[in-house]
Amino acid sequence: MTKDYKQMWNNLDINLEAHDGLLAVLSDAYQNIYLSQNNRPEGMKYFDFVISEVHGLRIEEILEAKKERKKIIGTFCVYVPEELILSLDGVCIGLCAGAEVGSDEAEKFVPRNTCALIKAFMGFKLAGLCPYIQTTDLIVGETTCDGKKKAYEIFDEITGGKMYVMEIPNKKGADGRTLWRNEVKRFAEKLEALAGKKITLKKLNGASKIVNERREALHRLSLLRSFDPSPISGLDALLINQVSFYDDPVRFTAKVSELCDELDERVKEGSGVSEKGSPRILVSGSPMAVPNWKLHAIIEGSGATVVGEESCVGERNFGAILDDGFSSVEEGIEKIAARYMNIHCACFTPNDERLSDIMEMAKRLKTDGIIHYAIQFCTPYMVEAFKAKKTLDNKGIPFLRIETDYSMEDMGQLKTRVEAFLEMTGKGVRS
Ligand code: BJ8
C-alpha cells in the first residue's frame, strides 16, 4: 500500500485487526500465486498495483466521488445494467465475495450448505472486512438462484435496508423479456430517485460507450489468448477480469488496451507464458470473484494454460456488446434490457445457449479440454454440468467436473484430478 489507510478504515467501521490479517493473507497468496509466475507481461504491473491498493486507493477514490455527491452502487451479478448507473454519474462496484471470511458469522444466518460466494458476501459484511459495502448507497441484488434471493432478504436487514432486488425471469420467452424490460425501467427510476436527477440521452449514450469500450478491450484480450503459446497466463487474465468489476472503467480500458498492444508484440515474436503445444484448458461454470484464484493456480501449476473462462468473471460479462448510439432514452432502455438477456446464466431454463457458448469458445480458443467449475452447493451450475458433459462427450472434447469451495483443504486432491485429466487430453502434464 502506498500509505496508511487505518483512519479511513476506522471511519468505515472496519474491524482493523481482522482486516490486517486478511490483507496479510492476501498479500502472501498474491506473492506465491501471481508474482512467482515467469515471463509476465510488463502491463501486468498496473494490475499488481490495483490489487495492492484494493482496499486502499480505490476506496479513497470512491470516498472522493461520494463527496461530489455521486452515488455508490454495489452489485453481485452481471445482470445489473451498469450503463444506467454511470449515466447518473454513479460508481458501480462488484462487492467482495471471493474469499472464505466470516463463515462462522454467516452460518448464523444461512445454512452451512450454502454456496461459498453467498457465505462470503455475508461474511465480509458481518466480520467488518469489506470497505466497499460500507461506502455503498444502494446494493443491487437479483432473483437469480434461490440461495442469493433468500440471502438478500437477510442482507437487507444486516445492511440497514440498503438492498434493492431486480426480478430476473426464469425463462427467456416473450413474457420473461417483458418482465425484464419493466424491471430495467423500474431500476432506472430507482436510480433517478436516488440521484435526484433524470437520465438524459447524452449521458446514457456516453455511459453505454464507456461500458462497451471496456467490453471490447476485454474481448480483444480474450482473442489474444487463442494463440499458441498464449501471450498471457490464465491467472493474469482472470485477475484482469476480476479487477474490471471495481476499477474506474475508463482507466481500466486504457490499461487493458495498452497491455493488449504488448501482447500483440508477444504474439508476433511467438513468445508466451508456456511452451508451444502445452495443454490448453477452458474453464466454465460459476463465477470466480477476487481473490478466488484456486483452480487456475492448480491448472497452471500443473503445466497447462487456462485460455478462457466461460464465466461471469470472464466471457459472460463482456461477450455481448450493446447495440448503442440510441436516439431516445426509451430506446436505450429497450436495447440495454435486450443486451442483458443475452447473458446465459445457469439460473435460466432452458439454457442451451450456454452450451453453444462453451462449444464456440472451445473451438475459438483451440482448447484441449474443459474443466467445469461449480462452487460447492451451487445447484444451477452443478446440475447444468451434466448437460454440458453430455454435449461435449458427444463432440469428443475431454471434460472434467469439479466442485469445490474457497478453502485450501482439497488442493492436493484437486491437483491429482487435474493432472490425471491433463494426461487424458493427450498433452500430459508439463512442469
Ligand atoms: S449471471 S452466475 S453473476 S447469478 S455460485 S450465488 S449461482 S449458488 S453467482 Fe451469478 Fe449472476 Fe448467474 Fe453470473 Fe447462486 Fe451459484 Fe452461489 Fe452464484
Side-chain angles (χ1 to χ4, degrees):
M1 296 242 178
T2 50
K3 61 184 191 200
D4 185 354
Y5 294 105
K6 286 221 164 45
Q7 190 57 50
M8 176 178 80
W9 293 329
N10 204 25
N11 294 344
L12 289 170
D13 265 343
I14 294 298
N15 177 338
L16 293 180
E17 200 183 326
H19 190 249
D20 280 353
L22 173 70
L23 292 187
V25 171
L26 188 67
S27 161
D28 281 356
Y30 200 74
Q31 184 73 39
N32 292 337
I33 295 173
Y34 275 90
L35 302 181
S36 63
Q37 295 178 94
N38 292 324
N39 199 21
R40 292 180 81 211
E42 276 295 300
M44 283 311 297
K45 290 212 167 95
Y46 169 72
F47 300 95
D48 291 341
F49 174 72
V50 171
I51 284 290
S52 73
E53 289 288 334
V54 62
H55 281 186
L57 198 54
R58 185 65 183 132
I59 299 294
E60 212 172 55
E61 287 181 347
I62 290 170
L63 292 174
E64 278 306 308
K66 261 178 112 69
K67 277 190 206 150
E68 293 164 22
R69 307 176 71 81
K70 294 182 176 171
K71 298 297 173 192
I72 314 302
I73 314 295
T75 64
F76 291 114
C77 178
V78 296
Y79 268 97
V80 179
E82 188 174 348
E83 293 84 351
L84 299 179
I85 298 170
L86 299 188
S87 71
L88 287 159
D89 301 315
V91 178
C92 183
I93 294 289
L95 294 173
C96 301
E100 192 182 30
V101 294
S103 307
D104 292 346
E105 285 90 338
E107 285 173 13
K108 289 177 191 153
F109 295 88
V110 293
R112 286 200 74 190
N113 60 353
T114 300
C115 94
L117 190 146
I118 295 172
K119 273 198 238 175
F121 75 67
M122 297 191 75
F124 265 106
K125 169 65 187 163
L126 290 163
L129 291 171
C130 178
Y132 290 103
I133 290 181
Q134 303 304 93
T135 66
T136 50
D137 297 291
L138 190 75
I139 301 174
V140 188
E142 10 53 55
T143 57
T144 44
C145 68
D146 288 350
K148 264 180 163 180
K149 73 184 170 211
K150 296 311 287 179
Y152 291 144
E153 293 173 15
I154 301 166
F155 209 56
D156 190 48
E157 284 178 30
I158 296 172
T159 57
K162 279 190 183 179
M163 284 304 304
Y164 174 85
V165 178
M166 296 186 80
E167 184 171 355
I168 300 203
N170 290 326
K171 297 180 80 169
K172 291 182 180 172
D175 289 350
R177 286 175 191 274
T178 304
L179 181 152
W180 174 240
R181 208 167 40 240
N182 289 338
E183 275 301 289
V184 174
K185 274 187 209 157
R186 195 167 71 91
F187 181 50
E189 286 160 12
K190 172 75 185 176
L191 290 171
E192 287 179 334
L194 188 71
K197 56 187 173 189
K198 289 275 181 199
I199 295 174
T200 65
L201 179 60
K202 191 171 169 216
K203 285 276 193 181
L204 190 58
N205 272 324
S208 301
K209 190 163 174 281
I210 288 173
V211 184
N212 255 351
E213 284 176 352
R214 187 182 60 203
R215 289 181 188 125
E216 278 157 5
L218 286 168
H219 193 63
R220 184 179 167 203
L221 174 67
S222 166
L223 292 178
L224 282 158
R225 295 168 77 191
S226 63
F227 288 93
D228 185 15
S230 171
I232 186 165
S233 68
L235 272 165
D236 280 337
L238 173 65
L239 183 82
I240 294 167
N241 277 288
Q242 290 172 333
V243 167
S244 73
F245 287 91
Y246 65 89
D247 198 8
D248 173 81
V250 175
R251 179 177 60 206
F252 174 86
T253 300
K255 291 297 177 185
V256 175
S257 302
E258 269 174 37
L259 173 76
C260 288
D261 291 344
E262 183 188 347
L263 300 185
D264 272 337
E265 291 306 312
R266 285 185 157 218
V267 167
K268 277 186 210 146
E269 292 159 5
S271 134
V273 288
S274 51
E275 278 174 45
K276 193 174 167 63
S278 296
R280 300 168 62 82
I281 299 298
L282 172 67
V283 170
S284 168
S286 307
M288 294 171 171
V290 71
N292 179 5
W293 305 310
K294 179 173 160 179
L295 185 57
H296 280 52
I298 291 171
I299 298 170
E300 298 204 324
S302 303
T305 307
V306 178
V307 292
E309 294 80 25
E310 189 282 315
S311 163
C312 289
V313 182
E315 210 93 355
R316 253 181 263 138
N317 180 36
F318 60 79
I321 298 293
L322 172 66
D323 176 13
D324 63 357
F326 323 121
S327 48
S328 67
V329 171
E330 293 66 34
E331 183 197 342
I333 288 181
E334 287 276 328
K335 286 188 169 169
I336 287 169
R339 184 266 164 200
Y340 282 83
M341 269 289 110
N342 271 332
I343 300 168
H344 305 133
C345 172
C347 296
F348 282 90
T349 186
N351 190 35
D352 293 341
E353 297 94 333
R354 177 168 168 245
L355 306 180
S356 308
D357 289 348
I358 298 173
M359 297 291 297
E360 185 279 321
M361 286 184 74
K363 196 167 167 211
R364 166 163 46 92
L365 298 164
K366 304 174 197 88
T367 52
D368 298 304
I370 291 170
I371 298 189
H372 191 280
Y373 164 78
I375 298 182
Q376 201 176 27
F377 308 122
C378 170
T379 311
Y381 284 91
M382 279 165 64
V383 174
E384 204 160 275
F386 285 87
K387 232 177 162 179
K389 180 168 171 23
K390 195 169 160 207
T391 307
L392 291 151
D393 280 353
N394 287 341
K395 298 280 173 189
I397 302 174
F399 186 91
L400 174 69
R401 227 170 44 213
I402 279 183
E403 287 155 20
T404 184
D405 56 17
Y406 294 164
S407 78
M408 296 299 143
E409 281 161 20
D410 58 353
M411 289 283 282
Q413 189 209 17
L414 289 179
K415 190 164 169 51
T416 306
R417 289 185 63 205
V418 166
E419 286 181 353
F421 178 69
L422 295 179
E423 291 290 350
M424 207 187 91
T425 63
K427 292 283 186 92
V429 180
R430 298 175 192 212
S431 47

CSV table of all heavy atoms in Angstrom, one decimal, residues 400-424:
chain,number,residue,atom,x,y,z
A,400,LEU,N,-13.9,-32.3,-17.5
A,400,LEU,CA,-13.8,-32.7,-16.1
A,400,LEU,C,-14.7,-31.8,-15.3
A,400,LEU,O,-14.7,-30.6,-15.4
A,400,LEU,CB,-12.3,-32.5,-15.7
A,400,LEU,CG,-12.0,-32.7,-14.2
A,400,LEU,CD1,-12.1,-34.1,-13.8
A,400,LEU,CD2,-10.6,-32.2,-13.8
A,401,ARG,N,-15.4,-32.5,-14.3
A,401,ARG,CA,-16.3,-31.7,-13.5
A,401,ARG,C,-15.7,-31.6,-12.1
A,401,ARG,O,-15.3,-32.5,-11.5
A,401,ARG,CB,-17.6,-32.5,-13.3
A,401,ARG,CG,-18.8,-31.7,-13.5
A,401,ARG,CD,-20.1,-32.5,-13.6
A,401,ARG,NE,-20.1,-33.6,-12.7
A,401,ARG,CZ,-20.7,-34.8,-12.9
A,401,ARG,NH1,-21.2,-35.0,-14.1
A,401,ARG,NH2,-20.8,-35.7,-12.0
A,402,ILE,N,-15.6,-30.3,-11.6
A,402,ILE,CA,-15.0,-30.0,-10.3
A,402,ILE,C,-16.0,-29.2,-9.5
A,402,ILE,O,-16.6,-28.3,-10.0
A,402,ILE,CB,-13.7,-29.3,-10.5
A,402,ILE,CG1,-12.6,-30.4,-10.8
A,402,ILE,CG2,-13.3,-28.5,-9.2
A,402,ILE,CD1,-11.2,-29.9,-10.9
A,403,GLU,N,-16.2,-29.7,-8.2
A,403,GLU,CA,-17.0,-28.9,-7.3
A,403,GLU,C,-16.1,-28.6,-6.1
A,403,GLU,O,-15.5,-29.5,-5.5
A,403,GLU,CB,-18.2,-29.7,-6.8
A,403,GLU,CG,-19.3,-29.8,-7.9
A,403,GLU,CD,-20.2,-31.0,-7.7
A,403,GLU,OE1,-20.2,-31.5,-6.6
A,403,GLU,OE2,-20.8,-31.4,-8.7
A,404,THR,N,-16.0,-27.3,-5.8
A,404,THR,CA,-15.1,-27.0,-4.6
A,404,THR,C,-15.6,-25.7,-4.0
A,404,THR,O,-16.4,-25.0,-4.5
A,404,THR,CB,-13.6,-26.9,-5.1
A,404,THR,OG1,-12.8,-26.7,-3.9
A,404,THR,CG2,-13.4,-25.8,-6.1
A,405,ASP,N,-15.0,-25.4,-2.8
A,405,ASP,CA,-15.3,-24.1,-2.2
A,405,ASP,C,-14.1,-23.3,-2.1
A,405,ASP,O,-13.1,-23.5,-2.9
A,405,ASP,CB,-15.9,-24.4,-0.8
A,405,ASP,CG,-15.0,-25.2,0.1
A,405,ASP,OD1,-13.8,-25.3,-0.2
A,405,ASP,OD2,-15.5,-25.8,1.1
A,406,TYR,N,-14.0,-22.3,-1.2
A,406,TYR,CA,-12.8,-21.4,-1.2
A,406,TYR,C,-11.7,-21.9,-0.3
A,406,TYR,O,-10.7,-21.3,-0.2
A,406,TYR,CB,-13.3,-20.0,-0.7
A,406,TYR,CG,-14.2,-19.3,-1.6
A,406,TYR,CD1,-14.9,-18.2,-1.1
A,406,TYR,CD2,-14.4,-19.6,-2.9
A,406,TYR,CE1,-15.8,-17.5,-2.0
A,406,TYR,CE2,-15.3,-18.9,-3.8
A,406,TYR,CZ,-16.0,-17.9,-3.3
A,406,TYR,OH,-16.8,-17.2,-4.1
A,407,SER,N,-11.9,-23.0,0.4
A,407,SER,CA,-10.9,-23.5,1.4
A,407,SER,C,-9.8,-24.1,0.6
A,407,SER,O,-9.9,-24.5,-0.6
A,407,SER,CB,-11.5,-24.5,2.4
A,407,SER,OG,-11.6,-25.7,1.7
A,408,MET,N,-8.6,-24.3,1.3
A,408,MET,CA,-7.5,-24.8,0.6
A,408,MET,C,-7.3,-26.3,0.9
A,408,MET,O,-6.4,-27.0,0.5
A,408,MET,CB,-6.2,-24.1,1.1
A,408,MET,CG,-6.2,-22.6,0.6
A,408,MET,SD,-6.2,-22.4,-1.2
A,408,MET,CE,-7.3,-21.0,-1.3
A,409,GLU,N,-8.3,-26.9,1.7
A,409,GLU,CA,-8.1,-28.3,2.1
A,409,GLU,C,-8.1,-29.3,1.0
A,409,GLU,O,-7.4,-30.3,1.2
A,409,GLU,CB,-9.3,-28.6,3.1
A,409,GLU,CG,-9.1,-28.0,4.5
A,409,GLU,CD,-10.4,-28.0,5.3
A,409,GLU,OE1,-11.3,-28.7,4.9
A,409,GLU,OE2,-10.4,-27.2,6.2
A,410,ASP,N,-8.8,-29.1,-0.1
A,410,ASP,CA,-8.8,-30.1,-1.1
A,410,ASP,C,-7.8,-29.8,-2.3
A,410,ASP,O,-7.9,-30.4,-3.3
A,410,ASP,CB,-10.2,-30.2,-1.7
A,410,ASP,CG,-10.7,-28.9,-2.3
A,410,ASP,OD1,-10.0,-27.8,-2.1
A,410,ASP,OD2,-11.8,-28.9,-2.9
A,411,MET,N,-6.8,-28.9,-2.0
A,411,MET,CA,-5.9,-28.5,-3.1
A,411,MET,C,-5.1,-29.8,-3.6
A,411,MET,O,-5.0,-29.9,-4.8
A,411,MET,CB,-4.8,-27.6,-2.5
A,411,MET,CG,-5.3,-26.2,-2.2
A,411,MET,SD,-5.5,-25.2,-3.7
A,411,MET,CE,-3.9,-24.7,-4.1
A,412,GLY,N,-4.7,-30.6,-2.7
A,412,GLY,CA,-3.9,-31.8,-3.1
A,412,GLY,C,-4.8,-32.7,-4.0
A,412,GLY,O,-4.3,-33.2,-5.1
A,413,GLN,N,-6.0,-33.0,-3.5
A,413,GLN,CA,-6.9,-33.9,-4.2
A,413,GLN,C,-7.2,-33.3,-5.6
A,413,GLN,O,-7.2,-34.0,-6.6
A,413,GLN,CB,-8.1,-34.0,-3.4
A,413,GLN,CG,-9.1,-35.1,-3.8
A,413,GLN,CD,-10.5,-34.8,-3.4
A,413,GLN,OE1,-10.8,-33.6,-3.1
A,413,GLN,NE2,-11.3,-35.8,-3.5
A,414,LEU,N,-7.5,-32.0,-5.7
A,414,LEU,CA,-7.8,-31.4,-6.9
A,414,LEU,C,-6.7,-31.4,-7.9
A,414,LEU,O,-6.8,-31.7,-9.1
A,414,LEU,CB,-8.3,-29.9,-6.7
A,414,LEU,CG,-9.6,-29.7,-6.1
A,414,LEU,CD1,-9.9,-28.2,-5.9
A,414,LEU,CD2,-10.7,-30.3,-6.9
A,415,LYS,N,-5.5,-31.2,-7.4
A,415,LYS,CA,-4.3,-31.3,-8.3
A,415,LYS,C,-4.1,-32.6,-8.9
A,415,LYS,O,-3.9,-32.8,-10.1
A,415,LYS,CB,-3.0,-30.9,-7.4
A,415,LYS,CG,-1.8,-30.6,-8.3
A,415,LYS,CD,-0.7,-29.9,-7.5
A,415,LYS,CE,0.6,-29.9,-8.2
A,415,LYS,NZ,0.6,-29.4,-9.6
A,416,THR,N,-4.4,-33.7,-8.1
A,416,THR,CA,-4.2,-35.1,-8.6
A,416,THR,C,-5.3,-35.3,-9.7
A,416,THR,O,-5.0,-35.8,-10.8
A,416,THR,CB,-4.5,-36.1,-7.5
A,416,THR,OG1,-3.6,-35.8,-6.4
A,416,THR,CG2,-4.3,-37.5,-7.9
A,417,ARG,N,-6.5,-34.8,-9.5
A,417,ARG,CA,-7.5,-35.0,-10.5
A,417,ARG,C,-7.2,-34.2,-11.8
A,417,ARG,O,-7.4,-34.7,-12.9
A,417,ARG,CB,-8.9,-34.5,-10.0
A,417,ARG,CG,-9.4,-35.5,-8.9
A,417,ARG,CD,-10.8,-35.1,-8.5
A,417,ARG,NE,-11.8,-35.2,-9.6
A,417,ARG,CZ,-12.9,-34.5,-9.6
A,417,ARG,NH1,-13.2,-33.7,-8.7
A,417,ARG,NH2,-13.7,-34.6,-10.6
A,418,VAL,N,-6.7,-32.9,-11.6
A,418,VAL,CA,-6.4,-32.1,-12.8
A,418,VAL,C,-5.3,-32.7,-13.6
A,418,VAL,O,-5.3,-32.8,-14.8
A,418,VAL,CB,-6.1,-30.7,-12.3
A,418,VAL,CG1,-5.4,-29.9,-13.4
A,418,VAL,CG2,-7.4,-30.0,-11.8
A,419,GLU,N,-4.3,-33.2,-12.9
A,419,GLU,CA,-3.1,-33.8,-13.6
A,419,GLU,C,-3.5,-35.1,-14.4
A,419,GLU,O,-3.1,-35.3,-15.5
A,419,GLU,CB,-2.0,-34.2,-12.6
A,419,GLU,CG,-1.3,-32.9,-12.1
A,419,GLU,CD,-0.2,-33.1,-11.1
A,419,GLU,OE1,0.0,-34.3,-10.7
A,419,GLU,OE2,0.5,-32.1,-10.8
A,420,ALA,N,-4.4,-35.9,-13.7
A,420,ALA,CA,-4.9,-37.1,-14.4
A,420,ALA,C,-5.7,-36.6,-15.7
A,420,ALA,O,-5.6,-37.3,-16.8
A,420,ALA,CB,-5.8,-37.9,-13.5
A,421,PHE,N,-6.4,-35.6,-15.5
A,421,PHE,CA,-7.2,-35.1,-16.7
A,421,PHE,C,-6.3,-34.6,-17.8
A,421,PHE,O,-6.5,-34.8,-19.0
A,421,PHE,CB,-8.1,-33.9,-16.2
A,421,PHE,CG,-9.0,-33.3,-17.3
A,421,PHE,CD1,-10.0,-34.0,-17.9
A,421,PHE,CD2,-8.7,-32.0,-17.7
A,421,PHE,CE1,-10.8,-33.4,-18.9
A,421,PHE,CE2,-9.5,-31.4,-18.7
A,421,PHE,CZ,-10.5,-32.1,-19.3
A,422,LEU,N,-5.3,-33.9,-17.4
A,422,LEU,CA,-4.3,-33.3,-18.5
A,422,LEU,C,-3.7,-34.5,-19.2
A,422,LEU,O,-3.5,-34.4,-20.4
A,422,LEU,CB,-3.3,-32.4,-17.8
A,422,LEU,CG,-3.8,-31.1,-17.2
A,422,LEU,CD1,-2.7,-30.3,-16.6
A,422,LEU,CD2,-4.6,-30.3,-18.2
A,423,GLU,N,-3.4,-35.6,-18.5
A,423,GLU,CA,-2.8,-36.8,-19.2
A,423,GLU,C,-3.9,-37.3,-20.2
A,423,GLU,O,-3.5,-37.7,-21.3
A,423,GLU,CB,-2.6,-37.9,-18.2
A,423,GLU,CG,-1.4,-37.6,-17.2
A,423,GLU,CD,-0.1,-37.7,-17.9
A,423,GLU,OE1,0.0,-38.1,-19.0
A,423,GLU,OE2,0.9,-37.2,-17.2
A,424,MET,N,-5.1,-37.2,-19.8
A,424,MET,CA,-6.2,-37.8,-20.6
A,424,MET,C,-6.4,-37.0,-21.9
A,424,MET,O,-6.8,-37.5,-22.9
A,424,MET,CB,-7.5,-37.7,-19.8
A,424,MET,CG,-8.5,-38.7,-20.2
A,424,MET,SD,-10.0,-38.3,-19.3
A,424,MET,CE,-10.8,-37.2,-20.4
